[in-house]
Amino acid sequence: MNKRPLIETNPYLRDPEQFRKALITNVATSTAVETGASIASIARTLTGSNKVEPVKKPQRSSR
C-alpha cells in the first residue's frame, strides 16, 4: 500500500495560511491549559504581533 503524506491528503494542511492559524491556535490553547496564561496573550507571543484574531473557545461538555 502506497502511503501519501498527511500534508497531501488533509485539505486543512494544504492552505499555508489556514495551517498556520490552526497551528497557532493549537499551541496557544495547549499552552494556556498548562500555564494558566490567556490564549490571546500566548497567540500574540507566537505571532509576534499585538493584533490577534479572537480564538474560538471550545464548547463545554454537558457532563
Side-chain angles (χ1 to χ4, degrees):
M1 181 174 168
N2 187 9
K3 292 187 177 183
R4 291 177 25 199
L6 185 61
I7 199 158
E8 290 179 7
T9 59
N10 187 328
Y12 296 103
L13 299 178
R14 289 183 190 163
D15 179 15
E17 184 177 332
Q18 192 175 20
F19 171 74
R20 178 119 174 105
K21 281 183 180 180
L23 179 64
I24 289 171
T25 300
N26 185 305
V27 172
T29 55
S30 296
T31 304
V33 167
E34 295 292 328
T35 64
S38 73
I39 296 170
S41 68
I42 296 168
R44 262 193 311 276
T45 301
L46 291 172
T47 59
S49 71
N50 289 332
K51 182 182 177 201
V52 175
E53 293 182 22
V55 176
K56 290 183 181 178
K57 292 187 179 184
Q59 294 180 354
R60 301 276 181 193
S61 173
S62 61
R63 293 188 214 177

